Amino acid sequence: GDSSTALDKLCRRGIVAVHMRVTCAPAARQLQSGCGRASQCSHARRQHVWGGSNTVRGRSCFLVSRAAAGDTVGAPTSVEPKVELGKSGVMVSPMGIGAWSWGDKLFWNDNSWDNSNEKSAQGAFDRALELGLTFVDTAEAYGTPQFGAAYSESLLGQFIKENPNGSQCEVATKFAALPWRVGSGSVSDALRQSLTRLQLESVPLYQLHWPGLWQNEAYLDGLAEACQSGLTKSAGVSNYNEERLRQAHARLGQLGVPLAVNQCHYNLLYRAPEDNGVFEACRELGVTLIAYSPISQGILSGKYSESRPPSGPRGRLFNAEFLRKAAPLLDVLKKIGEERGKTQTQVALNWLMCQPGVLPIPGAKTPEQVEDFAGAMGWRLDDGEVQELRKMAQRAPSVQGFPAESF
């Protein structure tokens, strides 16, 4: 991390032409010999490129991973060490993947879920383990089995079982605070059902998905009971505002269980945690802030524009007018990415990783997406870039948050 940042600065000053991790021997030999034009390396589908946007005082070079859906820039330069969830003692990868879309036919996947979707999701899971993104977040509310699809938890359990390294996966799932669930025992009952779908005996992290309207203290008591009984190794909440967060921290503390995380909507287009006290409260209390929708449901990736908005429900949230107003921020993401040989997605994720105590979990539907996400690790934006992005983000329109944040 620190050495990568130092090399980045040297690259910018023109002292070094390039830095990277080369895992393909033929590509490494090409780099050592140099070339005046792009040459395709058939090994690991990597391409050696001279010149391009990284050029500083002459030629520079970077590796581009050739993915089936397009080029993926900026492979991870190193595997980052695991991080602790709050003060729980539970260690996970510094970035994870989200499984909200797995088995979903309503919001994601264009109202469809079939064998090809499942195969792609499994490929994403397998690639995540290979690249060190071992933390996977799901929930009992994810997936639409009632519409002929599947529970996200069931798919994850299947993927873990079928992967020889599946035991490396650090699973987080969530309790749906439904109004008919009464009493602290409802939490452990729901977790046992989740564990059956996951085919696990326990999970590293169990979270309350949103605050209960009238049973919240009972749910917190149930969360502590689930920890103490060994069904989960740590306890967390999600979509809790500052007041609710402090109450949860205090109540769990009274019961001898540390509050490990608060999972919140947080990205460059939705910085409410910075303004509503949640971010500072997490830092003060030693609670990890897990950032969901860290690339704003794909908007920060550069895939969409005023003339090419997303389809489905996202198209209503991120319409042409929104994308027109967000364009200056997207342009800066692109500029920084080109200077560093990184994608816009990688820059947006790295911006979050530069915020203390923040762990992003981008949603993964394909192996190629996971490869892109992994390229956000092993380096850091410098302070000037972090502030430039925040400044541009303040001028961009804010997206709509989850209503439960105001419960």
Side-chain angles (χ1 to χ4, degrees):
D2 290 341
S3 61
S4 180
T5 301
L7 282 167
D8 276 332
K9 292 179 179 178
L10 292 173
C11 269
R12 287 175 172 280
R13 293 170 59 188
I15 296 172
V16 249
V18 64
H19 67 93
M20 70 190 75
R21 178 172 65 100
V22 179
T23 57
C24 173
R29 288 193 293 270
Q30 287 180 359
L31 291 174
Q32 290 171 354
S33 62
C35 65
R37 57 184 176 83
S39 60
Q40 180 73 22
C41 173
S42 61
H43 297 261
R45 295 191 299 171
R46 293 184 181 275
Q47 185 183 40
H48 174 205
V49 181
W50 279 106
S53 58
N54 256 10
T55 303
V56 181
R57 295 187 194 172
R59 296 188 305 179
S60 66
C61 176
F62 53 90
L63 283 180
V64 181
S65 182
R66 301 286 294 178
D71 291 349
T72 302
V73 180
T77 58
S78 65
V79 176
E80 296 194 17
K82 293 186 181 293
V83 297
E84 183 179 10
L85 294 178
K87 300 175 183 178
S88 67
V90 173
M91 307 298 290
V92 302
S93 56
M95 179 168 62
I97 61 170
W100 175 17
S101 67
W102 297 0
D104 181 84
K105 291 178 67 173
L106 293 181
F107 193 85
W108 299 102
N109 306 307
D110 294 322
N111 302 315
S112 174
W113 184 264
D114 55 26
N115 288 339
S116 64
N117 295 109
E118 182 175 322
K119 182 178 179 180
S120 181
Q122 186 163 15
F125 172 80
D126 292 343
R127 193 71 178 119
L129 292 193
E130 290 172 359
L131 294 174
L133 280 70
T134 49
F135 181 55
V136 182
D137 179 80
T138 183
E140 64 172 335
Y142 295 166
T144 53
Q146 64 272 38
F147 297 110
Y151 283 110
S152 173
E153 289 178 327
S154 298
L155 291 167
L156 177 55
Q158 172 190 328
F159 300 164
I160 290 171
K161 286 294 183 183
E162 294 179 359
N163 187 302
N165 297 312
S167 61
Q168 296 176 4
C169 181
E170 299 126 5
V171 177
T173 191
K174 297 186 282 293
F175 168 86
L178 302 170
W180 54 84
R181 284 179 159 170
V182 178
S184 62
S186 63
V187 178
S188 289
D189 289 344
L191 177 51
R192 289 189 184 94
Q193 294 175 36
S194 289
L195 291 172
T196 297
R197 288 187 287 270
L198 289 162
Q199 303 180 60
L200 297 173
E201 294 182 358
S202 68
V203 289
L205 173 64
Y206 196 49
Q207 305 151 95
L208 303 181
H209 205 155
W210 57 83
L213 292 175
W214 55 76
Q215 285 281 309
N216 203 58
E217 186 164 303
Y219 294 155
L220 291 168
D221 290 354
L223 195 58
E225 291 166 6
C227 273
Q228 291 160 349
S229 67
L231 295 176
T232 180
K233 296 180 177 64
S234 64
V237 295
S238 180
N239 298 299
Y240 273 45
N241 60 32
E242 182 188 4
E243 181 181 1
R244 291 276 198 180
L245 174 65
R246 292 185 181 278
Q247 290 171 350
H249 182 270
R251 181 60 182 171
L252 288 172
Q254 292 170 359
L255 299 171
V257 174
L259 177 62
V261 310
N262 185 17
Q263 185 176 146
C264 303
H265 188 182
Y266 185 31
N267 58 59
L268 278 164
L269 286 171
Y270 190 80
R271 299 173 316 285
E274 297 178 356
D275 301 326
N276 60 20
V278 167
F279 181 85
E280 285 303 322
C282 284
R283 290 193 64 183
E284 175 191 332
L285 300 173
V287 173
T288 297
L289 195 161
I290 296 179
Y292 71 75
S293 292
I295 52 175
S296 197
Q297 298 176 20
I299 300 304
L300 294 171
S301 71
K303 179 179 179 180
Y304 306 107
S305 66
E306 181 180 359
S307 61
R308 193 177 64 256
S311 60
R314 287 182 298 159
R316 294 191 289 273
L317 293 172
F318 306 108
N319 56 29
E321 177 67 11
F322 178 95
L323 289 163
R324 181 184 66 80
K325 293 179 179 178
L329 170 62
L330 301 180
D331 289 343
V332 173
L333 281 169
K334 182 179 180 180
K335 175 183 73 74
I336 293 175
E338 288 176 344
E339 290 173 351
R340 286 182 166 270
K342 300 292 181 180
T343 67
Q344 288 182 222
T345 293
Q346 291 163 1
V347 175
L349 290 172
N350 197 271
W351 184 86
L352 282 170
M353 296 178 77
C354 288
Q355 316 307 315
V358 175
L359 191 161
I361 49 166
K365 295 194 290 183
T366 69
E368 292 79 18
Q369 286 179 329
V370 172
E371 290 171 1
D372 194 11
F373 302 156
M377 297 194 297
W379 61 283
R380 288 293 182 271
L381 295 165
D382 62 39
D383 291 344
E385 291 166 326
V386 170
Q387 293 308 317
E388 181 183 11
L389 285 167
R390 178 173 277 110
K391 180 179 178 181
M392 294 305 298
Q394 289 169 347
R395 302 175 185 175
S398 179
V399 303
Q400 181 180 346
F402 187 38
E405 294 175 358
S406 61
F407 286 178

